[in-house]
Amino acid sequence: MERNSLFLFLFMMFVWAGLCSAQTTGDKFVLIDGCFFNGMPPGVRNDEGAQMIMLTDEKGHTALEIRLNKGKKLPDYAMKYRVPVEKVPGGEELLMISRSGTQKPMAVAGSNTITLDKWVGKPFPDFEVKDTAGRVWTKADILGKPFVLNYWHTGCRPCIKEMPDLNEWMKICPNVTYFSTTWNTPEQIKKIVENRPFLFTHIADELFFFNLFKVQVTPTTVLVDKKGIIRYWEEGTSESKRAYLLDRLKELSAE
């Protein structure tokens, strides 16, 4: 996998760091088309933002406004996960600043990430991989139950931060096969997955799944149905993206 095209992801992490330090609530609010979200909303990828604008009011409340590329819009299902303006510290003022157009956009680099949307609706390809316990897995082993595949690495703070929420998925939807995949070695991930912990089945020191879909942004999460058909994926993570994926996983479990 070529990692130099992670530029946009690293740029986004720089932006998030600024949000964390300035936001008094610790939340990272994103504003798109006049709607607030906790992080990037579902159905919107990092590479779809034509402009990013850091909105800051006089009290230090912040939000990252993302103006989507021409022809792109928020999917209807994302609206379920929006945050009411009255629940966003400084929300009304931030909206006024956005509408005034007084704050200049930041430059945004393009991303050459090949996303997974071309795979949605198609069968998950055949594979043979070994987990950190030594078990060999093939496609036959994941059929008959929904399958979750989460991409991460040890230097990805958002990946590590979302692990407790992903563990909760295992309690809510127990009849699912859960994989994580990383290029880090078993020795490198041991401390994190044991102490955090992270309870997925771990495919470590392995680039097969990364190369299969040309995934270059972490975290990325893929949901596969009981018949082995890729149904959903999300690039990046946020409270709204995780809520959306969990809702979809519940539906796949009930099918």
Side-chain angles (χ1 to χ4, degrees):
M1 181 186 65
E2 296 182 3
R3 299 174 192 173
N4 57 356
S5 58
L6 289 172
F7 177 86
L8 181 63
F9 172 72
L10 297 174
F11 179 80
M12 289 295 290
M13 292 306 99
F14 173 79
V15 173
W16 288 141
L19 276 169
C20 285
S21 62
Q23 188 69 46
T24 55
T25 64
D27 291 327
K28 307 173 187 64
F29 292 105
V30 169
L31 178 66
I32 302 179
D33 291 346
C35 299
F36 286 103
F37 298 88
N38 278 315
M40 194 77 80
V44 178
R45 300 191 302 271
N46 293 346
D47 61 352
E48 290 179 338
Q51 295 180 331
M52 290 193 293
I53 303 170
M54 186 70 77
L55 304 174
T56 305
D57 69 9
E58 293 182 352
K59 295 183 179 179
H61 301 121
T62 62
L64 180 66
E65 180 178 10
I66 297 177
R67 296 179 180 174
L68 299 178
N69 287 316
K70 186 177 181 180
K72 297 289 185 179
K73 66 176 184 178
L74 278 171
D76 292 340
Y77 59 78
M79 301 307 289
K80 175 182 175 181
Y81 306 96
R82 69 179 185 265
V83 179
V85 64
E86 60 271 15
K87 293 188 177 181
V88 177
E92 292 289 356
E93 181 68 19
L94 293 170
L95 272 179
M96 290 178 60
I97 295 171
S98 169
R99 291 165 181 164
S100 72
T102 57
Q103 296 193 337
K104 295 182 179 181
M106 299 176 287
V108 180
S111 171
N112 65 353
T113 299
I114 300 175
T115 54
L116 297 179
D117 49 351
K118 296 180 181 178
W119 285 91
V120 172
K122 296 181 180 179
F124 198 95
D126 291 334
F127 65 89
E128 182 176 308
V129 294
K130 183 182 293 187
D131 67 25
T132 53
R135 175 176 172 177
V136 175
W137 294 79
T138 67
K139 182 178 176 178
D141 296 311
I142 68 168
L143 297 177
K145 297 193 295 185
F147 171 55
V148 174
L149 177 61
N150 176 257
Y151 292 79
W152 74 290
H153 66 93
T154 58
C156 173
R157 286 189 293 177
C159 300
I160 296 170
K161 184 177 180 180
E162 75 170 352
M163 288 174 181
D165 285 348
L166 299 185
N167 288 339
E168 288 299 312
W169 293 9
M170 302 178 74
K171 298 177 184 178
I172 297 168
C173 299
N175 193 30
V176 173
T177 301
Y178 294 93
F179 273 22
S180 82
T181 186
T182 178
W183 63 74
N184 294 117
T185 66
E187 293 75 22
Q188 290 171 328
I189 71 170
K190 181 178 175 64
K191 184 176 180 180
I192 293 174
V193 301
E194 291 184 355
N195 294 345
R196 183 70 179 154
F198 189 24
L199 303 177
F200 281 26
T201 294
H202 301 294
I203 311 300
D205 197 16
E206 176 62 76
L207 288 176
F208 175 81
F209 288 125
F210 284 90
N211 290 332
L212 181 63
F213 298 118
K214 304 298 187 292
V215 170
Q216 299 180 29
V217 171
T218 56
T220 287
T221 303
V222 183
L223 304 188
V224 182
D225 68 18
K226 297 176 182 179
K227 296 180 180 180
I229 305 299
I230 299 170
R231 296 283 291 275
Y232 305 99
W233 69 271
E234 284 292 339
E235 180 184 272
T237 187
S238 68
E239 181 178 320
S240 55
K241 282 179 180 281
R242 292 190 298 274
Y244 169 76
L245 285 173
L246 179 56
D247 286 344
R248 304 290 77 78
L249 187 58
K250 291 175 182 177
E251 292 172 356
L252 294 182
S253 296
E255 288 181 351

